Amino acid sequence: QIGKFAGIAFWLLLMARAIFPALLAPNGQDKNLLALLTSSVVCIGLFYGTGLFYGERTHISVMEYWRWWVVHLWVEGFFEVFATTALAFIFSTLGLVSYRMATAASLASASLFMLGGVPGTFHHLYFAGTTTPVMAVGASFSALEVVPLVVLGHEAWEHWRLQHKTPWMANLRWPLMCFVAVAFWNMLGAGVFG
């Protein structure tokens, strides 16, 4: 177990080594997007680490509790914020979206998670005998979590369509298509079928 925790700690330190100099630089720029990226990176490591709180001899009820944290709070919550913020950071750095649009999409993603993260897990309570209205609230909040990433992907796609205006865009065709595909498949998988 200690080796697994050391791996997560090493990942967090590696990310901190790259992010903190930019956060502490006195350049006078808006650092809201970078702060959101930093907090989402930390939460990714911490909440994924909850999956290490059980072992082979742990009682099934304790194991299911921590599995719930990893599957529903990490995957459906912090990972959405991290994915949106990381792609927003990349898109704004490449000039595909404005810094303001990237920050707004990331703040919307974080706000949706903070306001609707717990109600968003209610759609998983079907087997516990939860009533239909409660499950409908959960499904609605869960479907809303992908909206900021889809909006960001659409904005990047619109800018990418203007690729013939600048020569450097041709060199980034496949990475950009990958990021746009992430937004599309996230919308289809989590938003439509999720």
Side-chain angles (χ1 to χ4, degrees), residues 26-72:
N27 57 4
Q29 286 184 328
D30 181 19
K31 296 182 182 173
N32 290 329
L33 183 60
L34 193 56
L36 277 169
L37 179 64
T38 305
S39 61
S40 68
V41 164
V42 169
C43 288
I44 284 285
L46 292 177
F47 273 75
Y48 189 71
T50 61
L52 304 174
F53 286 161
Y54 59 87
E56 61 188 47
R57 299 182 196 272
T58 306
H59 191 270
I60 187 77
S61 61
V62 174
M63 202 165 56
E64 284 296 309
Y65 174 76
W66 291 117
R67 187 190 67 80
W68 176 267
W69 276 61
V70 170
V71 171
H72 302 294

mmCIF file of all heavy atoms in Angstrom, residues 26-72:
data_model
loop_
_atom_site.group_PDB
_atom_site.id
_atom_site.type_symbol
_atom_site.label_atom_id
_atom_site.label_comp_id
_atom_site.label_asym_id
_atom_site.label_seq_id
_atom_site.Cartn_x
_atom_site.Cartn_y
_atom_site.Cartn_z
ATOM 1 N N PRO A 26 5.261 36.683 -11.031
ATOM 2 C CA PRO A 26 4.561 37.980 -10.910
ATOM 3 C C PRO A 26 4.417 38.673 -12.262
ATOM 4 O O PRO A 26 4.907 39.762 -12.475
ATOM 5 C CB PRO A 26 5.493 38.763 -9.987
ATOM 6 C CG PRO A 26 6.850 38.243 -10.305
ATOM 7 C CD PRO A 26 6.657 36.792 -10.665
ATOM 8 N N ASN A 27 3.717 38.058 -13.190
ATOM 9 C CA ASN A 27 3.581 38.645 -14.518
ATOM 10 C C ASN A 27 2.301 39.457 -14.685
ATOM 11 O O ASN A 27 2.046 39.990 -15.743
ATOM 12 C CB ASN A 27 3.676 37.571 -15.599
ATOM 13 C CG ASN A 27 2.653 36.469 -15.419
ATOM 14 O OD1 ASN A 27 1.813 36.529 -14.532
ATOM 15 N ND2 ASN A 27 2.734 35.474 -16.267
ATOM 16 N N GLY A 28 1.465 39.501 -13.682
ATOM 17 C CA GLY A 28 0.264 40.324 -13.735
ATOM 18 C C GLY A 28 -0.875 39.760 -14.569
ATOM 19 O O GLY A 28 -1.875 40.422 -14.761
ATOM 20 N N GLN A 29 -0.743 38.540 -15.076
ATOM 21 C CA GLN A 29 -1.820 37.950 -15.869
ATOM 22 C C GLN A 29 -2.862 37.313 -14.968
ATOM 23 O O GLN A 29 -2.607 36.989 -13.819
ATOM 24 C CB GLN A 29 -1.271 36.881 -16.811
ATOM 25 C CG GLN A 29 -0.527 37.425 -17.982
ATOM 26 C CD GLN A 29 -0.101 36.301 -18.911
ATOM 27 O OE1 GLN A 29 0.167 35.204 -18.465
ATOM 28 N NE2 GLN A 29 -0.048 36.601 -20.197
ATOM 29 N N ASP A 30 -4.036 37.103 -15.542
ATOM 30 C CA ASP A 30 -5.102 36.398 -14.848
ATOM 31 C C ASP A 30 -4.701 34.932 -14.691
ATOM 32 O O ASP A 30 -4.373 34.264 -15.667
ATOM 33 C CB ASP A 30 -6.381 36.514 -15.663
ATOM 34 C CG ASP A 30 -7.553 35.837 -15.007
ATOM 35 O OD1 ASP A 30 -7.508 35.593 -13.786
ATOM 36 O OD2 ASP A 30 -8.530 35.535 -15.710
ATOM 37 N N LYS A 31 -4.733 34.432 -13.466
ATOM 38 C CA LYS A 31 -4.281 33.061 -13.203
ATOM 39 C C LYS A 31 -5.413 32.157 -12.727
ATOM 40 O O LYS A 31 -5.171 31.120 -12.127
ATOM 41 C CB LYS A 31 -3.152 33.082 -12.175
ATOM 42 C CG LYS A 31 -1.935 33.800 -12.690
ATOM 43 C CD LYS A 31 -0.812 33.769 -11.703
ATOM 44 C CE LYS A 31 0.353 34.548 -12.262
ATOM 45 N NZ LYS A 31 1.422 34.708 -11.328
ATOM 46 N N ASN A 32 -6.648 32.540 -13.010
ATOM 47 C CA ASN A 32 -7.787 31.737 -12.574
ATOM 48 C C ASN A 32 -7.785 30.355 -13.223
ATOM 49 O O ASN A 32 -8.048 29.353 -12.557
ATOM 50 C CB ASN A 32 -9.100 32.445 -12.884
ATOM 51 C CG ASN A 32 -9.297 33.655 -12.004
ATOM 52 O OD1 ASN A 32 -8.848 33.687 -10.870
ATOM 53 N ND2 ASN A 32 -9.950 34.668 -12.540
ATOM 54 N N LEU A 33 -7.506 30.287 -14.511
ATOM 55 C CA LEU A 33 -7.492 29.002 -15.204
ATOM 56 C C LEU A 33 -6.384 28.113 -14.665
ATOM 57 O O LEU A 33 -6.587 26.920 -14.447
ATOM 58 C CB LEU A 33 -7.334 29.216 -16.708
ATOM 59 C CG LEU A 33 -7.385 27.969 -17.576
ATOM 60 C CD1 LEU A 33 -8.724 27.255 -17.419
ATOM 61 C CD2 LEU A 33 -7.148 28.317 -19.028
ATOM 62 N N LEU A 34 -5.227 28.686 -14.415
ATOM 63 C CA LEU A 34 -4.113 27.918 -13.869
ATOM 64 C C LEU A 34 -4.408 27.440 -12.443
ATOM 65 O O LEU A 34 -4.063 26.322 -12.074
ATOM 66 C CB LEU A 34 -2.834 28.754 -13.901
ATOM 67 C CG LEU A 34 -1.534 28.033 -13.651
ATOM 68 C CD1 LEU A 34 -1.347 26.877 -14.622
ATOM 69 C CD2 LEU A 34 -0.374 28.994 -13.736
ATOM 70 N N ALA A 35 -5.088 28.268 -11.659
ATOM 71 C CA ALA A 35 -5.472 27.853 -10.303
ATOM 72 C C ALA A 35 -6.488 26.714 -10.344
ATOM 73 O O ALA A 35 -6.415 25.771 -9.545
ATOM 74 C CB ALA A 35 -6.037 29.041 -9.531
ATOM 75 N N LEU A 36 -7.433 26.770 -11.286
ATOM 76 C CA LEU A 36 -8.401 25.682 -11.439
ATOM 77 C C LEU A 36 -7.717 24.394 -11.879
ATOM 78 O O LEU A 36 -8.043 23.314 -11.393
ATOM 79 C CB LEU A 36 -9.470 26.061 -12.456
ATOM 80 C CG LEU A 36 -10.615 26.901 -11.948
ATOM 81 C CD1 LEU A 36 -11.443 27.417 -13.100
ATOM 82 C CD2 LEU A 36 -11.469 26.108 -10.997
ATOM 83 N N LEU A 37 -6.761 24.511 -12.797
ATOM 84 C CA LEU A 37 -6.016 23.340 -13.232
ATOM 85 C C LEU A 37 -5.239 22.730 -12.066
ATOM 86 O O LEU A 37 -5.243 21.522 -11.866
ATOM 87 C CB LEU A 37 -5.070 23.699 -14.380
ATOM 88 C CG LEU A 37 -4.212 22.561 -14.924
ATOM 89 C CD1 LEU A 37 -5.093 21.486 -15.542
ATOM 90 C CD2 LEU A 37 -3.207 23.077 -15.922
ATOM 91 N N THR A 38 -4.618 23.582 -11.264
ATOM 92 C CA THR A 38 -3.854 23.106 -10.102
ATOM 93 C C THR A 38 -4.751 22.381 -9.108
ATOM 94 O O THR A 38 -4.425 21.284 -8.642
ATOM 95 C CB THR A 38 -3.146 24.283 -9.412
ATOM 96 O OG1 THR A 38 -2.347 24.966 -10.365
ATOM 97 C CG2 THR A 38 -2.287 23.810 -8.272
ATOM 98 N N SER A 39 -5.881 22.984 -8.773
ATOM 99 C CA SER A 39 -6.773 22.348 -7.792
ATOM 100 C C SER A 39 -7.370 21.054 -8.335
ATOM 101 O O SER A 39 -7.536 20.085 -7.591
ATOM 102 C CB SER A 39 -7.871 23.315 -7.349
ATOM 103 O OG SER A 39 -8.654 23.700 -8.444
ATOM 104 N N SER A 40 -7.661 21.013 -9.631
ATOM 105 C CA SER A 40 -8.212 19.770 -10.180
ATOM 106 C C SER A 40 -7.157 18.676 -10.220
ATOM 107 O O SER A 40 -7.470 17.502 -10.011
ATOM 108 C CB SER A 40 -8.810 20.001 -11.567
ATOM 109 O OG SER A 40 -7.821 20.302 -12.513
ATOM 110 N N VAL A 41 -5.898 19.032 -10.477
ATOM 111 C CA VAL A 41 -4.811 18.041 -10.461
ATOM 112 C C VAL A 41 -4.653 17.462 -9.059
ATOM 113 O O VAL A 41 -4.512 16.248 -8.881
ATOM 114 C CB VAL A 41 -3.492 18.677 -10.960
ATOM 115 C CG1 VAL A 41 -2.295 17.834 -10.588
ATOM 116 C CG2 VAL A 41 -3.545 18.883 -12.451
ATOM 117 N N VAL A 42 -4.703 18.314 -8.054
ATOM 118 C CA VAL A 42 -4.577 17.845 -6.671
ATOM 119 C C VAL A 42 -5.755 16.942 -6.302
ATOM 120 O O VAL A 42 -5.570 15.874 -5.706
ATOM 121 C CB VAL A 42 -4.464 19.044 -5.705
ATOM 122 C CG1 VAL A 42 -4.610 18.616 -4.256
ATOM 123 C CG2 VAL A 42 -3.138 19.767 -5.920
ATOM 124 N N CYS A 43 -6.966 17.348 -6.689
ATOM 125 C CA CYS A 43 -8.144 16.539 -6.359
ATOM 126 C C CYS A 43 -8.143 15.210 -7.105
ATOM 127 O O CYS A 43 -8.611 14.204 -6.565
ATOM 128 C CB CYS A 43 -9.421 17.318 -6.675
ATOM 129 S SG CYS A 43 -9.708 18.654 -5.518
ATOM 130 N N ILE A 44 -7.623 15.174 -8.328
ATOM 131 C CA ILE A 44 -7.516 13.916 -9.065
ATOM 132 C C ILE A 44 -6.678 12.933 -8.260
ATOM 133 O O ILE A 44 -7.052 11.777 -8.063
ATOM 134 C CB ILE A 44 -6.903 14.144 -10.460
ATOM 135 C CG1 ILE A 44 -7.913 14.761 -11.392
ATOM 136 C CG2 ILE A 44 -6.343 12.876 -11.053
ATOM 137 C CD1 ILE A 44 -8.971 13.837 -11.907
ATOM 138 N N GLY A 45 -5.529 13.374 -7.791
ATOM 139 C CA GLY A 45 -4.652 12.495 -7.009
ATOM 140 C C GLY A 45 -5.259 12.083 -5.690
ATOM 141 O O GLY A 45 -5.208 10.909 -5.301
ATOM 142 N N LEU A 46 -5.846 13.029 -4.975
ATOM 143 C CA LEU A 46 -6.398 12.721 -3.651
ATOM 144 C C LEU A 46 -7.609 11.797 -3.728
ATOM 145 O O LEU A 46 -7.720 10.845 -2.951
ATOM 146 C CB LEU A 46 -6.758 14.015 -2.925
ATOM 147 C CG LEU A 46 -5.584 14.897 -2.513
ATOM 148 C CD1 LEU A 46 -6.077 16.175 -1.869
ATOM 149 C CD2 LEU A 46 -4.649 14.156 -1.580
ATOM 150 N N PHE A 47 -8.518 12.072 -4.649
ATOM 151 C CA PHE A 47 -9.722 11.248 -4.708
ATOM 152 C C PHE A 47 -9.466 9.891 -5.332
ATOM 153 O O PHE A 47 -10.139 8.934 -5.009
ATOM 154 C CB PHE A 47 -10.855 11.990 -5.432
ATOM 155 C CG PHE A 47 -11.656 12.848 -4.511
ATOM 156 C CD1 PHE A 47 -11.153 14.049 -4.055
ATOM 157 C CD2 PHE A 47 -12.892 12.443 -4.062
ATOM 158 C CE1 PHE A 47 -11.868 14.833 -3.184
ATOM 159 C CE2 PHE A 47 -13.623 13.216 -3.192
ATOM 160 C CZ PHE A 47 -13.103 14.418 -2.742
ATOM 161 N N TYR A 48 -8.509 9.805 -6.239
ATOM 162 C CA TYR A 48 -8.150 8.484 -6.753
ATOM 163 C C TYR A 48 -7.459 7.671 -5.671
ATOM 164 O O TYR A 48 -7.588 6.445 -5.626
ATOM 165 C CB TYR A 48 -7.247 8.599 -7.983
ATOM 166 C CG TYR A 48 -7.029 7.277 -8.666
ATOM 167 C CD1 TYR A 48 -8.054 6.674 -9.358
ATOM 168 C CD2 TYR A 48 -5.804 6.634 -8.588
ATOM 169 C CE1 TYR A 48 -7.873 5.455 -9.987
ATOM 170 C CE2 TYR A 48 -5.612 5.411 -9.213
ATOM 171 C CZ TYR A 48 -6.642 4.836 -9.907
ATOM 172 O OH TYR A 48 -6.465 3.630 -10.513
ATOM 173 N N GLY A 49 -6.756 8.346 -4.790
ATOM 174 C CA GLY A 49 -6.080 7.670 -3.682
ATOM 175 C C GLY A 49 -7.032 6.980 -2.725
ATOM 176 O O GLY A 49 -6.634 6.059 -2.004
ATOM 177 N N THR A 50 -8.300 7.375 -2.708
ATOM 178 C CA THR A 50 -9.250 6.704 -1.822
ATOM 179 C C THR A 50 -9.462 5.258 -2.219
ATOM 180 O O THR A 50 -9.883 4.442 -1.408
ATOM 181 C CB THR A 50 -10.612 7.429 -1.812
ATOM 182 O OG1 THR A 50 -11.150 7.425 -3.129
ATOM 183 C CG2 THR A 50 -10.463 8.846 -1.316
ATOM 184 N N GLY A 51 -9.161 4.920 -3.463
ATOM 185 C CA GLY A 51 -9.272 3.534 -3.912
ATOM 186 C C GLY A 51 -8.204 2.640 -3.309
ATOM 187 O O GLY A 51 -8.271 1.412 -3.447
ATOM 188 N N LEU A 52 -7.239 3.240 -2.626
ATOM 189 C CA LEU A 52 -6.171 2.462 -1.998
ATOM 190 C C LEU A 52 -6.438 2.212 -0.518
ATOM 191 O O LEU A 52 -5.585 1.685 0.179
ATOM 192 C CB LEU A 52 -4.835 3.194 -2.175
ATOM 193 C CG LEU A 52 -4.456 3.509 -3.620
ATOM 194 C CD1 LEU A 52 -3.198 4.346 -3.662
ATOM 195 C CD2 LEU A 52 -4.284 2.236 -4.415
ATOM 196 N N PHE A 53 -7.610 2.589 -0.025
ATOM 197 C CA PHE A 53 -7.925 2.419 1.382
ATOM 198 C C PHE A 53 -8.472 1.038 1.724
ATOM 199 O O PHE A 53 -8.960 0.828 2.818
ATOM 200 C CB PHE A 53 -8.927 3.471 1.849
ATOM 201 C CG PHE A 53 -8.338 4.844 1.994
ATOM 202 C CD1 PHE A 53 -9.155 5.951 2.027
ATOM 203 C CD2 PHE A 53 -6.974 5.039 2.099
ATOM 204 C CE1 PHE A 53 -8.632 7.213 2.166
ATOM 205 C CE2 PHE A 53 -6.436 6.296 2.233
ATOM 206 C CZ PHE A 53 -7.276 7.387 2.261
ATOM 207 N N TYR A 54 -8.430 0.132 0.790
ATOM 208 C CA TYR A 54 -8.881 -1.227 1.085
ATOM 209 C C TYR A 54 -7.909 -2.208 0.455
ATOM 210 O O TYR A 54 -7.160 -1.874 -0.454
ATOM 211 C CB TYR A 54 -10.314 -1.471 0.593
ATOM 212 C CG TYR A 54 -10.532 -1.271 -0.880
ATOM 213 C CD1 TYR A 54 -10.320 -2.316 -1.777
ATOM 214 C CD2 TYR A 54 -10.971 -0.058 -1.376
ATOM 215 C CE1 TYR A 54 -10.523 -2.139 -3.128
ATOM 216 C CE2 TYR A 54 -11.181 0.126 -2.730
ATOM 217 C CZ TYR A 54 -10.952 -0.919 -3.598
ATOM 218 O OH TYR A 54 -11.151 -0.743 -4.933
ATOM 219 N N GLY A 55 -7.947 -3.405 0.984
ATOM 220 C CA GLY A 55 -7.053 -4.440 0.487
ATOM 221 C C GLY A 55 -7.804 -5.745 0.296
ATOM 222 O O GLY A 55 -9.038 -5.793 0.305
ATOM 223 N N GLU A 56 -7.066 -6.824 0.174
ATOM 224 C CA GLU A 56 -7.694 -8.115 -0.117
ATOM 225 C C GLU A 56 -8.474 -8.679 1.055
ATOM 226 O O GLU A 56 -9.330 -9.526 0.870
ATOM 227 C CB GLU A 56 -6.622 -9.114 -0.569
ATOM 228 C CG GLU A 56 -5.561 -9.360 0.483
ATOM 229 C CD GLU A 56 -4.410 -10.183 -0.039
ATOM 230 O OE1 GLU A 56 -3.915 -9.868 -1.123
ATOM 231 O OE2 GLU A 56 -4.012 -11.133 0.651
ATOM 232 N N ARG A 57 -8.217 -8.240 2.272
ATOM 233 C CA ARG A 57 -8.913 -8.769 3.450
ATOM 234 C C ARG A 57 -9.938 -7.785 4.022
ATOM 235 O O ARG A 57 -10.490 -8.020 5.085
ATOM 236 C CB ARG A 57 -7.906 -9.147 4.526
ATOM 237 C CG ARG A 57 -6.943 -10.220 4.081
ATOM 238 C CD ARG A 57 -5.996 -10.608 5.195
ATOM 239 N NE ARG A 57 -4.861 -11.337 4.681
ATOM 240 C CZ ARG A 57 -4.823 -12.640 4.511
ATOM 241 N NH1 ARG A 57 -5.884 -13.348 4.786
ATOM 242 N NH2 ARG A 57 -3.737 -13.220 4.053
ATOM 243 N N THR A 58 -10.193 -6.720 3.307
ATOM 244 C CA THR A 58 -11.147 -5.713 3.767
ATOM 245 C C THR A 58 -12.568 -6.227 3.574
ATOM 246 O O THR A 58 -12.873 -6.904 2.593
ATOM 247 C CB THR A 58 -10.957 -4.410 2.976
ATOM 248 O OG1 THR A 58 -9.595 -4.020 3.064
ATOM 249 C CG2 THR A 58 -11.819 -3.296 3.513
ATOM 250 N N HIS A 59 -13.453 -5.883 4.522
ATOM 251 C CA HIS A 59 -14.855 -6.279 4.428
ATOM 252 C C HIS A 59 -15.483 -5.634 3.192
ATOM 253 O O HIS A 59 -15.153 -4.510 2.818
ATOM 254 C CB HIS A 59 -15.611 -5.852 5.693
ATOM 255 C CG HIS A 59 -16.978 -6.443 5.779
ATOM 256 N ND1 HIS A 59 -18.079 -5.818 5.260
ATOM 257 C CD2 HIS A 59 -17.409 -7.616 6.305
ATOM 258 C CE1 HIS A 59 -19.149 -6.570 5.471
ATOM 259 N NE2 HIS A 59 -18.770 -7.667 6.109
ATOM 260 N N ILE A 60 -16.424 -6.333 2.580
ATOM 261 C CA ILE A 60 -17.033 -5.894 1.326
ATOM 262 C C ILE A 60 -17.739 -4.549 1.460
ATOM 263 O O ILE A 60 -17.730 -3.733 0.539
ATOM 264 C CB ILE A 60 -17.998 -6.977 0.757
ATOM 265 C CG1 ILE A 60 -18.509 -6.596 -0.642
ATOM 266 C CG2 ILE A 60 -19.180 -7.171 1.669
ATOM 267 C CD1 ILE A 60 -17.513 -6.822 -1.709
ATOM 268 N N SER A 61 -18.332 -4.268 2.614
ATOM 269 C CA SER A 61 -19.031 -2.989 2.780
ATOM 270 C C SER A 61 -18.044 -1.821 2.795
ATOM 271 O O SER A 61 -18.314 -0.766 2.221
ATOM 272 C CB SER A 61 -19.874 -2.998 4.057
ATOM 273 O OG SER A 61 -19.046 -3.190 5.183
ATOM 274 N N VAL A 62 -16.889 -2.004 3.408
ATOM 275 C CA VAL A 62 -15.865 -0.955 3.419
ATOM 276 C C VAL A 62 -15.280 -0.791 2.018
ATOM 277 O O VAL A 62 -15.060 0.324 1.535
ATOM 278 C CB VAL A 62 -14.759 -1.292 4.448
ATOM 279 C CG1 VAL A 62 -13.617 -0.310 4.375
ATOM 280 C CG2 VAL A 62 -15.340 -1.338 5.852
ATOM 281 N N MET A 63 -15.055 -1.903 1.350
ATOM 282 C CA MET A 63 -14.511 -1.877 -0.001
ATOM 283 C C MET A 63 -15.468 -1.162 -0.957
ATOM 284 O O MET A 63 -15.049 -0.347 -1.785
ATOM 285 C CB MET A 63 -14.263 -3.303 -0.472
ATOM 286 C CG MET A 63 -13.264 -3.413 -1.561
ATOM 287 S SD MET A 63 -12.680 -5.093 -1.790
ATOM 288 C CE MET A 63 -14.170 -5.982 -2.069
ATOM 289 N N GLU A 64 -16.749 -1.422 -0.863
ATOM 290 C CA GLU A 64 -17.728 -0.781 -1.730
ATOM 291 C C GLU A 64 -17.830 0.719 -1.456
ATOM 292 O O GLU A 64 -18.059 1.508 -2.371
ATOM 293 C CB GLU A 64 -19.099 -1.441 -1.569
ATOM 294 C CG GLU A 64 -19.203 -2.780 -2.258
ATOM 295 C CD GLU A 64 -19.062 -2.646 -3.761
ATOM 296 O OE1 GLU A 64 -19.761 -1.821 -4.373
ATOM 297 O OE2 GLU A 64 -18.220 -3.354 -4.331
ATOM 298 N N TYR A 65 -17.653 1.089 -0.192
ATOM 299 C CA TYR A 65 -17.684 2.512 0.154
ATOM 300 C C TYR A 65 -16.571 3.265 -0.575
ATOM 301 O O TYR A 65 -16.808 4.285 -1.217
ATOM 302 C CB TYR A 65 -17.555 2.688 1.670
ATOM 303 C CG TYR A 65 -17.442 4.123 2.107
ATOM 304 C CD1 TYR A 65 -18.564 4.943 2.115
ATOM 305 C CD2 TYR A 65 -16.221 4.662 2.497
ATOM 306 C CE1 TYR A 65 -18.466 6.267 2.510
ATOM 307 C CE2 TYR A 65 -16.115 5.976 2.890
ATOM 308 C CZ TYR A 65 -17.241 6.777 2.891
ATOM 309 O OH TYR A 65 -17.134 8.078 3.279
ATOM 310 N N TRP A 66 -15.351 2.750 -0.481
ATOM 311 C CA TRP A 66 -14.229 3.428 -1.126
ATOM 312 C C TRP A 66 -14.298 3.298 -2.644
ATOM 313 O O TRP A 66 -13.864 4.190 -3.370
ATOM 314 C CB TRP A 66 -12.895 2.920 -0.591
ATOM 315 C CG TRP A 66 -12.682 3.334 0.829
ATOM 316 C CD1 TRP A 66 -12.567 2.510 1.908
ATOM 317 C CD2 TRP A 66 -12.582 4.666 1.337
ATOM 318 N NE1 TRP A 66 -12.413 3.242 3.050
ATOM 319 C CE2 TRP A 66 -12.412 4.578 2.730
ATOM 320 C CE3 TRP A 66 -12.625 5.930 0.764
ATOM 321 C CZ2 TRP A 66 -12.274 5.686 3.541
ATOM 322 C CZ3 TRP A 66 -12.496 7.044 1.575
ATOM 323 C CH2 TRP A 66 -12.319 6.913 2.936
ATOM 324 N N ARG A 67 -14.833 2.206 -3.152
ATOM 325 C CA ARG A 67 -15.022 2.068 -4.594
ATOM 326 C C ARG A 67 -16.008 3.121 -5.099
ATOM 327 O O ARG A 67 -15.846 3.692 -6.176
ATOM 328 C CB ARG A 67 -15.528 0.665 -4.943
ATOM 329 C CG ARG A 67 -15.582 0.394 -6.439
ATOM 330 C CD ARG A 67 -16.310 -0.903 -6.725
ATOM 331 N NE ARG A 67 -17.718 -0.841 -6.388
ATOM 332 C CZ ARG A 67 -18.659 -0.280 -7.162
ATOM 333 N NH1 ARG A 67 -18.334 0.259 -8.306
ATOM 334 N NH2 ARG A 67 -19.919 -0.269 -6.794
ATOM 335 N N TRP A 68 -17.023 3.413 -4.307
ATOM 336 C CA TRP A 68 -17.994 4.450 -4.652
ATOM 337 C C TRP A 68 -17.291 5.796 -4.813
ATOM 338 O O TRP A 68 -17.569 6.549 -5.730
ATOM 339 C CB TRP A 68 -19.065 4.531 -3.566
ATOM 340 C CG TRP A 68 -20.054 5.626 -3.776
ATOM 341 C CD1 TRP A 68 -20.000 6.886 -3.275
ATOM 342 C CD2 TRP A 68 -21.240 5.575 -4.570
ATOM 343 N NE1 TRP A 68 -21.074 7.620 -3.695
ATOM 344 C CE2 TRP A 68 -21.848 6.836 -4.483
ATOM 345 C CE3 TRP A 68 -21.832 4.588 -5.331
ATOM 346 C CZ2 TRP A 68 -23.022 7.142 -5.136
ATOM 347 C CZ3 TRP A 68 -23.014 4.901 -5.975
ATOM 348 C CH2 TRP A 68 -23.602 6.153 -5.872
ATOM 349 N N TRP A 69 -16.361 6.090 -3.910
ATOM 350 C CA TRP A 69 -15.620 7.344 -4.002
ATOM 351 C C TRP A 69 -14.861 7.419 -5.317
ATOM 352 O O TRP A 69 -14.872 8.448 -5.991
ATOM 353 C CB TRP A 69 -14.622 7.464 -2.843
ATOM 354 C CG TRP A 69 -15.208 8.000 -1.593
ATOM 355 C CD1 TRP A 69 -16.222 7.454 -0.871
ATOM 356 C CD2 TRP A 69 -14.814 9.181 -0.913
ATOM 357 N NE1 TRP A 69 -16.475 8.219 0.232
ATOM 358 C CE2 TRP A 69 -15.616 9.287 0.227
ATOM 359 C CE3 TRP A 69 -13.849 10.144 -1.130
ATOM 360 C CZ2 TRP A 69 -15.491 10.326 1.136
ATOM 361 C CZ3 TRP A 69 -13.719 11.166 -0.233
ATOM 362 C CH2 TRP A 69 -14.541 11.263 0.881
ATOM 363 N N VAL A 70 -14.179 6.334 -5.675
ATOM 364 C CA VAL A 70 -13.365 6.352 -6.891
ATOM 365 C C VAL A 70 -14.261 6.427 -8.124
ATOM 366 O O VAL A 70 -14.069 7.266 -9.001
ATOM 367 C CB VAL A 70 -12.442 5.118 -6.967
ATOM 368 C CG1 VAL A 70 -11.791 5.026 -8.332
ATOM 369 C CG2 VAL A 70 -11.386 5.184 -5.890
ATOM 370 N N VAL A 71 -15.255 5.571 -8.211
ATOM 371 C CA VAL A 71 -16.056 5.488 -9.429
ATOM 372 C C VAL A 71 -16.940 6.717 -9.611
ATOM 373 O O VAL A 71 -16.996 7.293 -10.692
ATOM 374 C CB VAL A 71 -16.902 4.193 -9.439
ATOM 375 C CG1 VAL A 71 -17.885 4.190 -10.577
ATOM 376 C CG2 VAL A 71 -15.995 2.992 -9.505
ATOM 377 N N HIS A 72 -17.611 7.136 -8.577
ATOM 378 C CA HIS A 72 -18.616 8.172 -8.761
ATOM 379 C C HIS A 72 -18.140 9.569 -8.421
ATOM 380 O O HIS A 72 -18.532 10.523 -9.094
ATOM 381 C CB HIS A 72 -19.877 7.828 -7.987
ATOM 382 C CG HIS A 72 -20.435 6.511 -8.415
ATOM 383 N ND1 HIS A 72 -20.933 6.320 -9.672
ATOM 384 C CD2 HIS A 72 -20.516 5.323 -7.790
ATOM 385 C CE1 HIS A 72 -21.325 5.060 -9.794
ATOM 386 N NE2 HIS A 72 -21.072 4.442 -8.670
#
